[in-house]
Amino acid sequence: MNFFEAILMGIIQGLTEFLPVSSSAHIRIAGALLGQDPGAAFTAIIQLGTESAVLLYFRHDIARILSHWFMCLKGKDGSEISQRLGSEDRDASLGWFIIVGTLPIVIAGLLFQKSIESGLRNLWITVLMLIVFGLLLWYFDAKSTQTKTIKEMTLKDAVIFGIGQMLALVPGVSRSGGTITFGRALGYTREDAARISFLMAIPAVFGAGILETFKSLGAAGAASGFPGWGATICATIVSFVVGYLVIIAFLKIVSTFSYKGFAIYRIAIAVIVALLLITGVLAPLAGPSV
């Protein structure tokens, strides 16, 4: 991968990570059109750039949640177990909910790592997931109420959000798309469903990115088709800058408009990729076939 391709990948990652359109699907498709699948390791590492943008944008919320979580854990509000778990502090309880919501993707990622890095990267699976979750997002966004906020989040909701995030291990589902779709199904407002999606992704994405970074330092990384550190670092920096700008714009857009446009976009991209697969321009598990 040359630096032009790395910059392109960083732009794609930054533009699509926070939108419910699947950044991993776009990286997978772009890589195929460029003649290579950059691999799950490259995808996980450059997500560190976009998640760093989340840390910067939500720094005050994150600092508040962490400080309240640690204070409750130490027993600031009392020695009862329920109090230490944040029963009397919404910020502390939100910290616990983020932890609970992270567990499904961690467990599934460890159990199905080989499938995630190989078979699930089949472009026909990506096409199917783009369409299915595009339709689900369209339906739930149109039919569900907009009454619940992040302050009303429950443990049950955290588990459901976590399942939505777990499904994003399959390219085409979308991490934000899965959590936002499930959030809208639960009746959360469009903006709060997005905020929960951003916050819940932080430990999962950083964990995966750091793990893949260490793996890619060795021979195993080279053997898996890792494109190299120069290109990867370049793409990560670009994804950070673009991602920060996208967060600002996205939260303004969803506070005014529905997710319908994103759902239509997902389906349109799926149709285009399907046509490229049918005509032989793309191969399901490789780059362009011509």
Side-chain angles (χ1 to χ4, degrees):
M1 182 182 295
N2 58 46
F3 277 92
F4 172 78
E5 293 170 340
I7 290 171
L8 177 62
M9 289 294 193
I11 292 173
I12 293 171
Q13 170 65 24
L15 286 174
T16 59
E17 171 66 18
F18 306 115
L19 308 182
V21 297
S22 182
S23 61
S24 59
H26 281 73
I27 292 294
R28 174 69 182 89
I29 294 166
L33 290 171
L34 292 172
Q36 63 173 326
D37 178 358
F42 174 83
T43 303
I45 293 171
I46 67 172
Q47 285 178 338
L48 293 177
T50 44
E51 285 310 306
S52 295
V54 173
L55 290 182
L56 179 60
Y57 186 86
F58 290 102
R59 60 191 181 279
H60 298 302
D61 300 89
I62 294 168
R64 187 181 65 253
I65 291 169
L66 284 175
S67 62
H68 283 242
W69 184 81
F70 277 113
M71 285 190 291
C72 280
L73 192 63
K74 291 192 298 183
K76 176 187 72 70
D77 293 330
S79 59
E80 296 292 330
I81 293 297
S82 61
Q83 293 173 314
R84 288 177 180 267
L85 295 178
S87 63
E88 298 179 6
D89 188 319
R90 289 302 303 173
D91 287 315
S93 62
L94 183 56
W96 284 111
F97 293 155
I98 291 172
I99 293 172
V100 170
T102 303
L103 293 177
I105 194 171
V106 172
I107 295 171
L110 293 173
L111 291 177
F112 304 106
Q113 182 177 0
K114 290 185 178 180
S115 296
I116 294 166
E117 294 178 347
S118 55
L120 290 179
R121 297 185 68 79
N122 187 306
L123 281 175
W124 278 116
I125 295 177
T126 300
V127 167
L128 178 62
M129 292 299 100
L130 282 169
I131 293 174
V132 170
F133 275 83
L135 293 174
L136 288 175
L137 177 61
W138 193 341
Y139 175 81
F140 285 118
D141 188 51
K143 298 297 183 181
S144 299
T145 60
Q146 286 202 82
T147 56
K148 297 181 72 172
T149 68
I150 194 170
K151 294 181 179 180
E152 299 172 80
M153 192 174 180
T154 65
L155 180 61
K156 177 183 176 182
D157 291 351
V159 173
I160 294 173
F161 271 109
I163 293 172
Q165 181 170 240
M166 176 192 71
L167 294 175
L169 290 171
V170 183
V173 173
S174 168
R175 188 185 312 278
S176 60
T179 50
I180 288 172
T181 298
F182 281 40
R184 291 294 293 119
L186 290 169
Y188 282 84
T189 66
R190 294 186 179 106
E191 186 173 354
D192 277 57
R195 285 180 175 274
I196 293 171
S197 173
F198 293 164
L199 293 172
M200 192 166 285
I202 293 172
V205 172
F206 271 104
I210 292 170
L211 175 63
E212 293 296 344
T213 298
F214 280 106
K215 286 171 57 180
S216 299
L217 289 172
S224 66
F226 184 66
W229 280 108
T232 303
I233 292 172
C234 176
T236 303
I237 293 172
V238 172
S239 72
F240 166 76
V241 176
V242 176
Y244 187 81
L245 298 175
V246 169
I247 292 174
I248 298 172
F250 181 57
L251 289 176
K252 290 182 179 179
I253 290 171
V254 298
S255 63
T256 307
F257 303 100
S258 73
Y259 287 109
K260 179 180 177 180
F262 297 109
I264 294 173
Y265 173 82
R266 289 176 62 100
I267 296 169
I269 288 294
V271 171
I272 292 172
V273 175
L275 290 174
L276 293 175
L277 288 168
I278 291 170
T279 56
V281 175
L282 289 180
L285 290 172
S289 57
V290 294

